[in-house]
Amino acid sequence: MAKAFRTVLGERLRRLGKSIWWRHCTAAAFLVASLFVLPARALDNMSFVVRGGEDELTESFRAASLLVQSWNDGLTDPQTLFAAARADYGRLVGAAYAEGFYSVVVRIEIDGREAATIEPLDAPAAMREIRVTIEPGPRFTFATARMRPYAPGTQLPPAYGDTKPAFSTAIVDAAEAGVDGWRNVGHAKARVADQSITADHSADTIDSLILLEPGPRVRFGQMTISGAERMRPERIARIAGFPTGETFDPEELDTVANRLRRTGAFRSVALQEAETLGFGDTLDVDLVVAEEALRRFGVGAELSSTEGLNLSGYWLHRNLFGGAERLRVDGAIDRIGGQGDTLGYELGARIERPATPVTDASAFVEARVGREELADITLDKIELSFGLTRVLSDTLSAEAGISYIHTRAEDVTGSFEFDMVALPVSLTWERRDNPIDARKGFYLQADVTPFYGFNMTDSGAQFKADARAYRSFGAEDRLTLAGRVQLGTVVGTSLAATSPDFLFFSGGGGTVRGQPYQSLTVPLVRPSGVTVQTGGLSFAGMSGELRAGITEKIGAVAFYDAGFVSDDAIFGGNSDWHAGAGLGLRYDTGFGPIRLDVGLPVSGTTDDGVQIYVGIGQAF
């Protein structure tokens, strides 16, 4: 509809200008002529003059010109330049109308001859000079800018209004807004029925009237599916949740497409509305999909001077049983060559089924095993989980589940068993422009995990929050301020009767750079009287970065991090702080920046000299 309106609008607008010779160009004749013309000398000079135009207007004309583009690209072939000159009449007049100049005069001279007067069969075999001269004339304003009938809630663009500059783009945008307004209230086949655009050259004004035809109010009909190879059609329909019988709403079509894209099983998803309405003013829609490759794998690595080398990898199957079931197996080996005697590892598998039990939810089953060293404690862990994820909007999602966790903690005084049933619930609000390399927006994740302990394990609840914000400024937004705040606490338990993996540590790449990994701890006195270092019941972390783009690929970062750990809930009891700061470099690989950070301790008693971090992606 918008395309058709642009076509009609273009015809009406062309009638407003003065007679322009380029209308008589015959493309077919030019192609024939090009077969008989011999190569010629290079073009020596090209001038481009906008008389009485401001710099911004001149740049608009230059951006629209094929001759300017050809000159900048070093193209001097006469046939190419002649074709560009003939095309530039229409392009430059269109650029003038877009800026509100309807008395524009365009002259394009090739060696003193007007290009529009040169017959295609007489195309010059040689060119020495091309001169483009544009006289924009006065800028027109809208005497009246009208549209009817309006749909309830239609928001016209601010540029379409009485006394405003009469940009042709404002007329097109207004027509699109009018059609969209009717579509938003169920009139799927709304269109521009007619329009009247009249120029008064004596007053330099435009009278514009756009007439809309809403058509009937429409309900969704049936959805047909094409392009599926391995996916079962009934599962596609279940995931899509097409709203058959409901009043037409274009946002519902976007929702259907997004549901399918989120599965990761499709390379492309397209919804095509039927050209005509069905019985009872219903609209059928054709869903066209192209499936992704079934399998994918990835690897990652991070290097730290105290943590050593951390390696990770995953293998993913996108469509395990023909219903977009995702199986992901991932593993990691930590602290290779790092401080400490224990090599950490983790192995996990998770299978997730979309549209279970309802359209916007997914069910998952997960199993994980691992070993890690936390300060003076070595931890072996087994976890089995079942849960549901729910998409609440394009940026908001939630997850809830039930987990059984068995942990065996060992230190110099012996080993301790922790068993619990946990009910983790999380809410994620994702508003970053790019999660891997954010320049603007924010991210917020909040987690609440009540748990019931067995044997020596206390019962209680863990609370965590992670908030990040980004803002860019300067030329081309090359400077970015990034900030992060992390909070956590465990309530209802004692330090000794809480599984160490539910406690909090500080130091290292994920919390405080410049301080050794998990170096900020709290003392715990065992029944034997021996004191060991473990995590705290409360934690707060703050990080700030100034990111600067040096070139298109290389960037620099200055950062400051601080962390706090206490041995009691709600940030009470005995506590300590430490901080670190440093500089870093980033190299943009296209799929994410490679990160190199060098940090130094700023405050606290846990410092151990210079810390170096290498990884993929920003620190946060």
Side-chain angles (χ1 to χ4, degrees), residues 65-341:
S65 172
L66 289 178
L67 280 171
V68 171
Q69 179 180 328
S70 300
W71 177 261
N72 292 338
D73 292 343
L75 302 177
T76 57
D77 174 66
Q79 298 306 313
T80 300
L81 295 174
F82 181 61
R86 304 276 295 195
D88 261 6
Y89 286 103
R91 294 174 66 90
L92 294 173
V93 170
Y97 288 172
E99 295 291 337
F101 296 93
Y102 294 90
S103 296
V104 61
V105 176
V106 176
R107 295 186 177 90
I108 302 175
E109 296 175 301
I110 299 175
D111 293 332
R113 299 173 62 194
E114 187 69 43
T117 67
I118 302 174
E119 294 294 333
L121 292 176
D122 294 331
M127 296 181 186
R128 301 305 301 270
E129 181 182 34
I130 296 178
R131 184 176 300 168
V132 180
T133 305
I134 303 171
E135 297 179 7
R139 173 171 273 160
F140 282 52
T141 58
F142 285 115
T144 57
R146 301 288 185 268
M147 178 189 296
R148 62 175 184 260
Y150 283 96
T154 299
Q155 296 292 327
L156 289 181
Y160 188 70
D162 295 355
T163 74
K164 300 288 183 65
F167 304 131
S168 65
T169 52
I171 303 174
V172 174
D173 292 344
E176 291 180 346
V179 170
D180 288 344
W182 281 111
R183 283 173 57 83
N184 290 338
V185 293
H187 296 259
K189 295 303 180 183
R191 67 183 186 91
V192 175
D194 197 4
Q195 39 84 37
S196 173
I197 301 171
T198 306
D200 184 345
H201 287 268
S202 63
D204 302 330
T205 60
I206 293 286
D207 290 300
S208 174
L209 172 62
I210 302 170
L211 298 176
L212 302 178
E213 184 178 301
R217 195 171 190 187
V218 172
R219 293 178 294 109
F220 283 112
Q222 299 298 317
M223 182 181 73
T224 58
I225 301 171
S226 60
E229 298 176 6
R230 296 173 292 267
M231 281 282 292
R232 301 195 307 274
E234 64 272 17
R235 282 293 297 154
I236 295 178
R238 172 72 173 175
I239 296 167
F242 186 74
T244 297
E246 296 183 12
T247 300
F248 173 84
D249 185 346
E251 290 188 1
E252 287 291 337
L253 294 180
D254 293 338
T255 299
V256 167
N258 288 336
R259 286 170 180 153
L260 293 166
R261 293 186 184 111
R262 279 196 298 264
T263 66
F266 302 102
R267 185 170 61 254
S268 66
V269 176
L271 290 164
Q272 300 173 354
E273 299 176 21
E275 291 292 329
T276 59
L277 297 180
F279 178 77
D281 293 333
T282 57
L283 178 68
D284 293 336
V285 174
D286 184 26
L287 169 65
V288 182
V289 298
E291 295 182 12
E292 265 287 8
L294 283 178
R295 298 169 184 84
R296 180 182 178 183
F297 69 92
V299 295
E302 290 193 356
L303 180 65
S304 166
S305 53
T306 55
E307 296 175 56
L309 177 64
N310 297 336
L311 298 176
S312 62
Y314 73 89
W315 178 86
L316 175 69
H317 195 296
R318 292 188 173 95
N319 188 17
L320 194 61
F321 303 121
E325 299 88 357
R326 291 166 60 91
L327 172 62
R328 178 181 173 119
V329 179
D330 56 79
I333 302 177
D334 302 331
R335 303 174 69 82
I336 301 173
Q339 297 178 1
D341 300 325

Side-chain angles (χ1 to χ4, degrees), residues 326-445:
R326 291 166 60 91
L327 172 62
R328 178 181 173 119
V329 179
D330 56 79
I333 302 177
D334 302 331
R335 303 174 69 82
I336 301 173
Q339 297 178 1
D341 300 325
T342 302
L343 192 69
Y345 71 89
E346 185 177 36
L347 180 64
R350 173 172 170 142
I351 184 169
E352 188 167 354
R353 188 175 193 263
T356 305
V358 296
T359 300
D360 285 315
S362 298
F364 67 87
V365 177
E366 186 172 14
R368 310 197 74 81
V369 297
R371 166 176 285 193
E372 60 180 324
E373 184 176 350
L374 302 175
D376 291 341
I377 301 171
T378 299
L379 208 65
D380 291 290
K381 180 178 177 180
I382 299 174
E383 181 175 354
L384 301 174
S385 302
F386 165 79
L388 300 172
T389 62
R390 181 68 187 262
V391 175
L392 304 175
S393 72
D394 290 340
T395 60
L396 193 63
S397 62
E399 181 172 304
I402 181 169
S403 303
Y404 172 75
I405 305 170
H406 171 77
T407 305
R408 183 177 183 271
E410 185 174 354
D411 57 36
V412 294
T413 67
S415 61
F416 306 87
E417 305 283 339
F418 298 91
D419 293 276
M420 70 177 74
V421 173
L423 300 172
V425 178
S426 68
L427 185 68
T428 303
W429 196 3
E430 175 64 88
R431 294 293 300 270
R432 293 176 291 185
D433 59 334
N434 181 355
I436 297 176
D437 187 12
R439 293 179 179 271
K440 60 183 179 180
F442 64 87
Y443 169 89
L444 176 63
Q445 180 171 334

Side-chain angles (χ1 to χ4, degrees), residues 487-511:
L487 299 172
T489 190
V490 179
V491 298
T493 68
S494 64
L495 192 64
T498 303
S499 179
D501 61 317
F502 267 54
L503 301 176
F504 299 98
F505 301 79
S506 183
T511 51

